[in-house]
Amino acid sequence: MKISYEKKTFAGISKKYATIEKSKTVLIPVPYDSTQTWKKGSRKGPKAFLSAAEHIELYDIETDSEVYRRGIFLVPPIANNSISSKEMVQKVYNVTKKYLLKEKFVTLIGGDHSISIGSIRAFGEKYPNLSILHMDAHIDLRPAYKGNPYNHACSMHEASKKYPLIQIGIRSMDILEKKFLQKGNVFYMHEIYKNDLWMQKAIQKMSKYVFISIDIDVFDPSIAPSTGTPEPGGLDWYTTLKFFKKVFEKKEIIGFDIVELLPNEKESSTDFLAVKLYYKLLSYKYES
């Protein structure tokens, strides 16, 4: 059954909190997974995310807040698999830029990780002193994959040539990607596991303005199995929240995306994890 985006709001919030005029936050769904290389299906991620959002409690205990009251505007979905990945990147760039010009806090839900290429381009134009916080199991630094520079395996390559790129939770990469690493900016999962000081060190690497890109597979598959390329040994829920809270306290977060949610009809906990994470990050942004 198709979702009617014209009538829908995030989490079913009242329309008075969901207009573009009164909303501080904009949510852009990008149901695109044409570049996915193992399990396809993340194009269904935005729909599953919005469906799970219908069941979230809108009061956040930790921050003692209801951040939805600051307004969340849901944009009709952009892009689909009928267009090329290059066209998709341009569409994401155009729509992200449109709402940045309206001075909105822009967030995106994917879709595969290639959607981040377009949004980072738009954020980079508005915020020259930008850094990228990349949360992922994979390094995503290939200049091209199977001849396509807009593949999800290349999602951070362009950004790595322009901005400080702080990569957290990495535990899988091709040896050819090593030459593209930013020295000292990669926090591998096996090192995080042994070192309690990694959070402080990572934050010190960031510039004033930070865009966060979160691949669901940064989490351990035990808590987030519904993703296209799961890797064992990922982050747990509370460690991740502890880190994000510190980042929001120390830096100015100017937007974020959540990608690679691949819904499974028999397992909906990952859908809800993505929604809970989304709402938690908004609460940290505005209410902490």
Side-chain angles (χ1 to χ4, degrees):
M1 189 173 98
K2 291 185 177 180
I3 294 176
S4 175
Y5 284 87
E6 291 77 15
K7 297 180 180 179
K8 194 173 184 66
T9 62
F10 171 79
I13 62 176
S14 170
K15 288 187 178 180
K16 71 177 182 178
Y17 298 117
T19 65
I20 185 60
E21 294 80 13
K22 294 187 177 180
S23 294
K24 288 184 173 293
T25 298
V26 165
L27 172 57
I28 305 172
V30 192
Y32 190 87
D33 68 354
S34 182
T35 79
Q36 217 146 16
T37 50
W38 185 16
K39 297 179 181 180
K40 287 189 180 294
S42 63
R43 67 186 180 279
K44 300 177 182 178
K47 180 179 178 181
F49 174 90
L50 291 169
S51 178
E54 299 288 339
H55 304 284
I56 191 174
E57 300 283 5
L58 292 170
Y59 169 69
D60 181 70
I61 297 172
E62 182 184 7
T63 58
D64 188 24
S65 68
E66 294 177 295
V67 73
Y68 78 91
R69 293 178 178 274
R70 295 179 180 265
I72 302 170
F73 177 70
L74 178 60
V75 178
I78 63 170
N80 55 57
N81 282 10
S82 67
I83 63 176
S84 70
S85 53
K86 183 177 181 180
E87 291 173 308
M88 178 276 298
V89 166
Q90 186 63 40
K91 278 182 174 288
V92 172
Y93 164 81
N94 291 340
V95 177
T96 301
K97 185 173 181 178
K98 172 184 174 180
Y99 290 106
L100 286 176
L101 290 173
K102 294 179 183 291
E103 301 299 326
K104 301 298 181 181
F105 184 73
V106 179
T107 63
L108 303 95
I109 177 71
D112 72 43
H113 215 152
S114 61
I115 76 165
S116 302
I117 299 171
S119 57
I120 290 173
R121 286 180 184 175
F123 278 101
E125 288 181 358
K126 184 173 176 64
Y127 299 96
N129 188 24
L130 180 68
S131 58
I132 311 298
L133 172 56
H134 174 216
M135 309 287 293
D136 203 323
H138 308 88
I139 205 79
D140 288 355
L141 288 177
R142 288 176 170 88
Y145 187 73
K146 295 184 177 180
N148 182 7
Y150 304 105
N151 188 279
H152 77 129
C154 316
S155 63
M156 293 297 136
H157 181 78
E158 183 178 299
S160 73
K161 296 189 292 183
K162 297 179 179 180
Y163 314 109
L165 176 64
I166 296 84
Q167 300 183 279
I168 307 293
I170 305 300
R171 51 198 189 275
S172 180
M173 63 185 292
D174 190 280
I175 194 169
L176 296 176
E177 295 176 279
K178 285 183 68 175
K179 63 183 177 182
F180 301 113
L181 298 176
Q182 291 187 3
K183 187 176 180 180
N185 281 8
V186 182
F187 293 78
Y188 298 102
M189 198 62 223
H190 68 276
E191 296 173 340
I192 288 173
Y193 180 74
K194 298 176 182 178
N195 180 6
D196 292 336
L197 299 177
W198 69 271
M199 294 187 189
Q200 180 181 347
K201 291 180 178 179
I203 292 169
Q204 290 173 346
K205 300 282 185 178
M206 299 173 200
S207 59
K208 177 181 179 180
Y209 299 112
V210 180
F211 176 80
I212 305 175
S213 185
I214 307 163
D215 189 319
I216 286 293
D217 67 27
V218 74
F219 290 102
D220 191 79
S222 63
I223 64 168
S226 297
T227 187
T229 49
E231 288 278 348
L235 288 169
D236 65 73
W237 178 250
Y238 283 107
T239 298
T240 305
L241 292 189
K242 182 178 179 181
F243 175 57
F244 277 138
K245 188 172 185 180
K246 290 177 180 291
V247 173
F248 275 85
E249 287 173 350
K250 299 291 185 181
K251 301 295 177 179
E252 186 168 343
I253 309 307
I254 46 83
F256 64 84
D257 66 33
I258 299 175
V259 300
E260 302 280 356
L261 169 63
L262 196 160
N264 180 342
E265 292 182 1
K266 297 180 180 180
E267 191 283 311
S268 57
S269 66
T270 313
D271 307 350
F272 196 77
L273 178 145
V275 173
K276 194 80 172 180
L277 179 64
Y278 179 84
Y279 200 69
K280 181 67 75 172
L281 295 185
L282 291 186
S283 299
Y284 288 161
K285 170 68 177 178
Y286 291 113
E287 307 295 351
S288 288

